[in-house]
Amino acid sequence: APNCLVTRIASEYGADDALLIAADGRVLDGPNFAVGFIIDGCMRLVHAGSNRMLPSCTQMLAMHAAQRVGLPFREGNVLIDEARSASAAFAMSATRHIMPIAAIDEHVMQSDMSAF
């Protein structure tokens, strides 16, 4: 399966996992997780429907939690250049829950996840 292949290729290059990126630079998601970013103080989430992906139940819960505590968030497209400049990034899935992403390419994220 392509998802397993990209994870294996990422591992061969020394990464823990992969991000799926569309040809036009949009971040899609990980091979088996949704992704989110903190960009300019706003939680940015990839909109599954506009990217022809299955919606993430964990992402939906994250949006509800953000709304309850007043954390600004936006669901839409996130470009890889925006993701590389994020102050924090995280993976979301039913099995991982919400886990910090340490780095995207050479950009190391803040280790303090208090941004959200």
Side-chain angles (χ1 to χ4, degrees):
N3 290 5
C4 294
L5 177 62
V6 295
T7 299
R8 190 180 80 210
I9 292 170
S11 178
E12 290 172 3
Y13 281 88
D16 292 325
D17 221 320
L19 279 179
L20 303 174
I21 310 297
D24 64 1
R26 286 175 294 121
V27 175
L28 299 176
D29 60 10
N32 56 8
F33 55 89
V35 292
F37 307 93
I38 302 297
I39 301 172
D40 297 327
C42 181
M43 184 170 70
R44 300 271 306 277
L45 303 166
V46 175
H47 185 267
S50 65
N51 290 296
R52 297 184 181 159
M53 301 179 314
L54 294 173
S56 164
C57 294
T58 309
Q59 179 170 317
M60 180 187 68
L61 292 172
M63 289 189 306
H64 287 280
Q67 190 172 30
R68 272 195 302 265
V69 299
L71 180 69
F73 71 92
R74 190 171 91 203
E75 190 178 30
N77 290 328
V78 177
L79 300 176
I80 187 59
D81 290 338
E82 293 176 298
R84 287 184 183 124
S85 69
S87 58
F90 49 96
M92 298 172 280
S93 76
T95 56
R96 295 179 190 201
H97 303 290
I98 297 179
M99 301 267 311
I101 294 174
I104 297 176
D105 296 330
E106 302 301 318
H107 175 68
V108 177
M109 301 294 163
Q110 294 177 354
S111 59
D112 178 14
M113 292 296 285
S114 67
F116 67 102

